[in-house]
Amino acid sequence: MPKVGMVSLGCPKNLVDSEVMLGQLAARGWELVSGPEDADVLIVNTCSFIEPAKQESIDTILEMAGHKKTGRAQRLVVAGCLVERYREEILKEIPEVDFVIGTNELDRVLEACELGENSDGESNGAGSRARTSSHPFDPYLYTEFTPRVLSTPSYFAYLKIAEGCDHPCSFCVIPQMRGKFRSRRFESVVREAQNLAGQGVRELVLVGQDTTSYGADLGLRDGLALLLEELARIPELVWVRFLYCYPNRLTDRLIQAVASSPKIARYFDIPLQHASREVLKGMRRGSDGAQFLKMIAKIRAAIPDVTLRTTMIVGFPGETDHDFGSLCDFVEQGEFDHLGVFTYSNEESSAAFDLPGAVPKGVAERRRRKILSLQRRISRRKLRSRAGQRVPVLVEGRAEETDLLFTGRLESQAPEIYGRVLINDFEGP
């Protein structure tokens, strides 16, 4: 049977798309290989959220293109977000690419990977390139019946509950790549979760561009809270967590759902982006640090041992020293358990692209380092305060560094994101 290799870049949401494409190929008899030198067809599932992600995608495409000259690869397929933004440019500038698949064309992967001749008698290179140079943006959602091959360790899986986004954030191009927000059917998500649990999955991580809006388009009130409570009833699951909360959609009902079930991880991932009212206004997100602190206090009052994670953007157009000072004050007062910082990436199709008041890259980078320095002190203090505690740990296996240690995660540590636990001994019964 023909062999296919996949390189999946970007976020967990993109990884689920990769798993869905691989599932469709495996169901039709394709052999999945890990080494690009062994593949007849190579697929690169790309990310293009910010400039570094775009560059990584382009570099990977060119690297995989080399295998058409040096390896057995006959065909190179490019999929994902980069295609939605630069479909024509990819086909024009990288002639080694034989087929492109947008984020809403995952069901075309079999067509994209087909070897041999097409119906026009042409090789599937030039013929497919012509047919895929333009494609309508049709909404796509996979279901519990869609074949999927997990690429994560057997004990955890990502579960995409929605696609697209309706928020107007001026720095973000995701709605252009993923389309309008749309939820998967409640029953479909639950059935897939049950299927995954039956396969041995013990931790589910719910993902979507905005998980807190889940079900709103289906007429569900507090849809995410209802979904979490239903998933917590699946006996085989140990942890259920969700990522990508939008702050103004975080309801009391959702907080209560997390507080009341031992299976729902006491973990909130809330990308706030900034704390200055003026910067947030420019980002089209609204609110400010004072409101965020009230939200944080409410969560911690209901769940004292909660873990809070957020991300920030520095260097947004018009960000003044005063704005940055407000952000520093907020970070110190918020005392997040995990915090990531990005320098602003000026994306040409975003609403913020032509905003005045560009912040020099050097200034933005210094601000990024300053926030990280503040957070390191907070994280160090929080971690030291846990010394001597007895806590549940999900043991994942032996550490890469040495067979003398095992590695695992706390409930406060989402997979593949922040930190791990090193274990040097196990107590007997």
Side-chain angles (χ1 to χ4, degrees):
M1 297 303 297
K3 300 179 179 181
V4 61
M6 168 85 75
V7 180
S8 188
L9 304 173
C11 65
K13 301 179 289 291
N14 219 37
L15 182 63
V16 174
D17 290 348
S18 296
E19 294 173 342
V20 166
M21 285 188 281
L22 289 176
Q24 294 180 67
L25 289 164
R28 293 294 294 270
W30 282 74
E31 181 181 345
L32 312 182
V33 296
S34 57
E37 66 278 359
D38 298 323
D40 299 302
V41 177
L42 290 166
I43 305 173
V44 180
N45 195 11
T46 60
C47 176
S48 66
F49 181 48
I50 55 178
E51 186 59 36
K54 287 191 292 185
Q55 191 57 55
E56 181 186 24
S57 292
I58 293 168
D59 291 344
T60 304
I61 293 168
L62 296 176
E63 179 185 352
M64 294 302 107
H67 288 279
K68 292 182 70 177
K69 300 176 182 178
T70 62
R72 63 182 285 167
Q74 303 173 49
R75 201 156 169 76
L76 176 59
V77 178
V78 175
C81 294
L82 193 73
V83 173
E84 292 295 347
R85 297 186 69 186
Y86 305 106
R87 180 185 297 262
E88 299 289 347
E89 291 85 346
I90 293 170
L91 291 170
K92 180 180 178 182
E93 302 296 335
I94 312 178
E96 295 88 351
V97 175
D98 298 294
F99 208 108
V100 292
I101 301 174
T103 57
N104 286 277
E105 302 171 272
L106 303 186
D107 53 353
R108 302 188 73 195
V109 68
L110 291 169
E111 174 190 358
C113 293
E114 183 181 353
L115 297 170
E117 293 189 347
N118 63 33
S119 59
D120 298 322
E122 300 173 302
S123 72
N124 272 341
S128 291
R129 290 166 63 81
R131 289 201 305 274
T132 59
S133 61
S134 178
H135 190 80
F137 195 83
D138 297 323
Y140 175 85
L141 280 174
Y142 81 98
T143 74
E144 73 273 30
F145 301 113
T146 306
R148 180 182 168 195
V149 173
L150 296 184
S151 59
T152 52
S154 60
Y155 51 83
F156 93 84
Y158 294 107
L159 181 55
K160 188 187 286 191
I161 63 174
E163 184 62 275
C165 183
D166 291 340
H167 294 294
C169 305
S170 64
F171 58 83
C172 184
V173 294
I174 285 177
Q176 300 170 33
M177 299 184 290
R178 295 281 177 175
K180 290 186 175 296
F181 181 85
R182 52 210 184 271
S183 302
R184 286 180 58 189
R185 291 185 304 106
F186 190 94
E187 296 79 9
S188 174
V189 176
V190 173
R191 287 193 191 109
E192 186 183 11
Q194 292 169 336
N195 293 339
L196 290 169
Q199 296 170 27
V201 169
R202 295 297 173 260
E203 178 181 13
L204 278 182
V205 183
L206 309 187
V207 295
Q209 274 70 40
D210 172 15
T211 55
T212 39
S213 289
Y214 175 76
D217 54 324
L218 303 177
L220 288 177
R221 184 180 178 87
D222 286 306
L224 180 58
L226 293 172
L227 180 61
L228 288 168
E229 290 168 346
E230 187 65 27
L231 297 181
R233 296 188 178 98
I234 299 175
E236 298 93 339
L237 293 178
V238 177
W239 286 338
V240 180
R241 72 175 76 237
F242 56 100
L243 305 181
Y244 313 115
C245 298
Y246 203 85
N248 69 356
R249 300 291 176 88
L250 207 158
T251 64
D252 293 347
R253 180 76 170 77
L254 178 59
I255 295 172
Q256 184 56 40
V258 176
S260 60
S261 173
K263 286 192 176 184
I264 303 174
R266 297 181 296 278
Y267 178 99
F268 284 83
D269 169 40
I270 316 170
L272 298 176
Q273 314 302 5
H274 215 280
S276 162
R277 177 174 290 275
E278 290 304 312
V279 172
L280 288 167
K281 181 179 178 181
M283 291 179 171
R284 299 183 181 175
R285 290 177 66 88
S287 197
D288 59 19
Q291 294 301 313
F292 292 155
L293 287 173
K294 291 179 182 178
M295 175 190 68
I296 292 169
K298 179 188 293 186
I299 295 172
R300 285 177 170 152
I303 315 169
D305 58 346
V306 71
T307 295
L308 296 178
R309 173 184 183 250
T310 193
T311 53
M312 299 295 180
I313 296 173
V314 294
F316 186 81
E319 182 190 53
T320 65
D321 288 341
H322 178 74
D323 293 325
F324 179 65
S326 298
L327 177 57
C328 291
D329 292 342
F330 172 75
V331 169
E332 290 187 306
Q333 295 174 63
E335 293 194 313
F336 292 91
D337 299 277
H338 306 298
L339 184 146
V341 191
F342 299 91
T343 55
Y344 171 70
S345 180
N346 200 27
E347 298 301 314
E348 65 268 20
S349 58
S350 70
F353 182 67
D354 292 321
L355 288 179
V359 176
K361 289 184 179 180
V363 173
E365 177 58 24
R366 286 195 295 273
R367 290 175 177 175
R368 187 185 74 88
R369 291 199 299 266
K370 171 67 172 177
I371 294 295
L372 288 176
S373 177
L374 292 174
Q375 181 60 33
R376 270 193 295 271
R377 292 200 293 270
I378 294 168
S379 295
R380 189 178 299 118
R381 184 175 67 252
K382 281 178 165 285
L383 289 172
R384 285 175 176 169
S385 72
R386 305 199 69 174
Q389 294 182 3
R390 297 178 66 90
V391 292
V393 175
L394 188 154
V395 180
E396 299 183 294
R398 293 191 182 273
E400 294 180 0
E401 297 87 345
T402 173
D403 286 344
L404 300 177
L405 296 173
F406 284 79
T407 184
R409 285 184 291 109
L410 304 176
E411 184 179 346
S412 60
Q413 296 169 316
E416 303 178 326
I417 295 179
Y418 282 112
R420 57 180 177 157
V421 176
L422 291 176
I423 306 163
N424 63 353
D425 197 10
F426 290 90
E427 289 187 6

